[in-house]
Amino acid sequence: MTANEAAGRPDLTLVGQGPTPAPGLDDLVTAVRAVVSKHADWRKTSQLVADELRTHLPSPEILTAEQRVGDPDTHQSHLLHAEPDGAFSVVGLVWRPGQMTPIHDHVTWCVFGVLQGIEYEEVFTLDEGSDYLIEAGDNSNSTGEVSGFAPPGDIHRVRNVGDGTAISLHIYGTDVSRIGSSVRRYYDLPIRAS
Ligand SMILES: [Fe+2]
């Protein structure tokens, strides 16, 4: 059990046996590899990768039928690809209705596209004294929508607000299978309206 699980916070750690053959991902991986190799800054890289994910957004069948069912206990993360040099990795997330992440931020840039359903994102900022979080906006991402972001300023919480299972593809600027998660920190703090 990880420290986060022990504290009652579900980890974003991966399930399964590592990279699985994912037919249909080849064009996306080739395109992302090309733009990541430009070594632009994180924000620019996230924009370039988002452009490629919009062009090469796969169907939910990128995951197996078993993976697409989800898990009643928590949302699931399935590693679909990890670059050998650690430059990026591709993860499929499956959310049952109502499932959500803890409030967290990330160790690197992230780009995500919704393959099925709706993902609702709440964004927060940390007050100067780091005593509480301030609501900073929200986004509702429907099937087919792609977004990207880069730290700092990426404190958020994501949940499935739809009636059915939601599926999304996330691309991170690191090999999450090596470091165990894309999360830099979890924020268990009071929330204040902006
Ligand atoms: Fe996140």
Side-chain angles (χ1 to χ4, degrees):
M1 179 176 287
T2 67
N4 281 307
E5 287 169 336
R9 294 175 298 213
D11 248 340
L12 302 189
T13 47
L14 300 158
V15 298
Q17 299 297 313
T20 52
L25 217 56
D26 286 354
D27 288 351
L28 173 65
V29 166
T30 300
V32 172
R33 185 178 294 139
V35 296
V36 168
S37 69
K38 296 178 189 289
H39 300 293
D41 64 46
W42 276 0
R43 195 159 299 277
K44 179 66 176 174
T45 297
S46 70
Q47 294 167 355
L48 293 170
V49 172
D51 289 343
E52 298 303 336
L53 183 55
R54 278 186 201 98
T55 303
H56 302 285
L57 194 65
S59 74
E61 285 73 34
I62 200 75
L63 294 176
T64 67
E66 184 180 0
Q67 290 170 333
R68 294 198 301 274
V69 170
D71 184 295
D73 293 331
T74 184
H75 64 285
Q76 297 273 285
S77 304
H78 303 280
L79 181 66
L80 299 176
H81 174 81
E83 281 288 270
D85 68 357
F88 67 92
S89 47
V90 182
V91 177
L93 274 77
V94 181
W95 318 69
R96 293 276 187 94
Q99 289 182 340
M100 66 176 154
T101 68
I103 299 174
H104 64 280
D105 60 8
H106 304 84
V107 294
T108 184
W109 57 265
C110 174
V111 171
F112 67 97
V114 180
L115 310 184
Q116 175 180 298
I118 302 174
E119 288 187 9
Y120 177 70
E121 176 191 32
E122 298 165 278
V123 183
F124 305 90
T125 56
L126 189 61
D127 83 295
E128 285 187 6
S130 299
D131 297 322
Y132 57 90
L133 295 169
I134 304 165
E135 293 177 342
D138 59 347
N139 305 292
S140 194
N141 299 291
S142 303
T143 303
E145 289 192 69
V146 173
S147 299
F149 56 82
D154 62 318
I155 303 173
H156 72 165
R157 172 168 60 187
V158 180
R159 80 179 74 191
N160 175 8
V161 294
D163 295 330
T165 303
I167 298 175
S168 55
L169 200 73
H170 292 231
I171 306 175
Y172 301 103
T174 186
D175 180 349
V176 292
S177 70
R178 295 189 202 183
I179 61 175
S181 168
S182 68
V183 170
R184 187 180 78 93
R185 182 190 158 184
Y186 292 97
Y187 295 84
D188 189 10
L189 293 172
I191 298 171
R192 296 188 184 179
S194 55

